Amino acid sequence: MLLMPRKLACKLRTDTKCSKSLYNAFHCMTNTVIFATMTEDVVFSGKGLTVSVDERVMRTWKDSRQIQPDAAESFGILIGSCKNTGNACRVEHITTPGQCDVQSRFHFLLHDPEHQEAANRAFSQSAGFLGYLGTWHTHPEAHPTPSKLDANDWLLCIKRNPDRLLYFVIVGTEEVRVFVRQGEKFEML
């Protein structure tokens, strides 16, 4: 399934200091994108869907957990591929917070243009095989559940990407959970 690049709607702003000068734009390109090769995947399944996550992405999520009492939320976008049926996807790359993003203990904003650039690069370098699959972020709780703010943000992501099923990952201190929109609510796989 070819995944066309889309503009990210998830708390991404283009009117930040990052986009106002070449100097700042250059310094905003500091996000880490995890590029995967053949490794052992972690699989999440349920609701008739399967999401495989590259082991290196899982390692980044493990390292990003909000275990310390002052740890800020980490976040980024999911980049990967889906089978033609759309019910099986693989997360191969992620972005992580960049210099121009905003982070606090219970809040984040995707301000850094590198998130969108990473999705665009993955799409073009893979001849359309890789694309934007959703977002991820951390919660300082063992078994994370989406907040009202999370659900509202996810609805904006879905509205901006009506051509695909999006996945939303919350990384807790002990568990990683994957959510999808089914009917009128978000369900955990």
Side-chain angles (χ1 to χ4, degrees), residues 42-55:
V42 175
V43 177
F44 297 85
S45 62
K47 311 295 180 193
L49 303 168
T50 301
V51 177
S52 300
V53 179
D54 184 270
E55 177 183 18

Side-chain angles (χ1 to χ4, degrees), residues 8-134:
L8 303 176
C10 307
K11 299 180 185 132
L12 176 64
R13 291 179 28 165
T14 57
D15 61 338
T16 65
K17 290 184 271 185
C18 297
S19 62
K20 293 193 177 182
S21 77
L22 290 176
Y23 176 81
N24 283 334
F26 175 77
H27 287 285
C28 289
M29 301 299 174
T30 58
N31 286 43
T32 302
V33 177
I34 308 303
F35 291 97
T37 57
M38 296 303 283
T39 58
E40 193 168 321
D41 288 354
V42 175
V43 177
F44 297 85
S45 62
K47 311 295 180 193
L49 303 168
T50 301
V51 177
S52 300
V53 179
D54 184 270
E55 177 183 18
R56 293 177 213 187
V57 171
M58 290 297 298
R59 204 173 5 224
T60 298
W61 286 343
K62 180 180 178 186
D63 293 344
S64 299
R65 293 176 298 159
Q66 289 180 267
I67 295 173
Q68 299 302 320
D70 60 343
E73 281 196 59
S74 285
F75 51 89
I77 67 167
L78 309 173
I79 299 171
S81 59
C82 292
K83 291 187 177 183
N84 286 337
T85 59
N87 63 348
C89 293
R90 182 169 191 265
V91 177
E92 300 185 30
H93 319 293
I94 60 172
T95 62
T96 57
Q99 184 177 2
C100 296
D101 289 322
V102 175
Q103 293 176 268
S104 70
R105 180 72 172 163
F106 301 106
H107 179 74
F108 70 91
L109 291 172
L110 281 156
H111 280 226
D112 202 313
E114 178 58 17
H115 298 285
Q116 182 69 55
E117 290 299 317
N120 293 347
R121 263 192 319 276
F123 180 81
S124 65
Q125 291 174 359
S126 69
F129 184 70
L130 299 177
Y132 171 68
L133 297 180

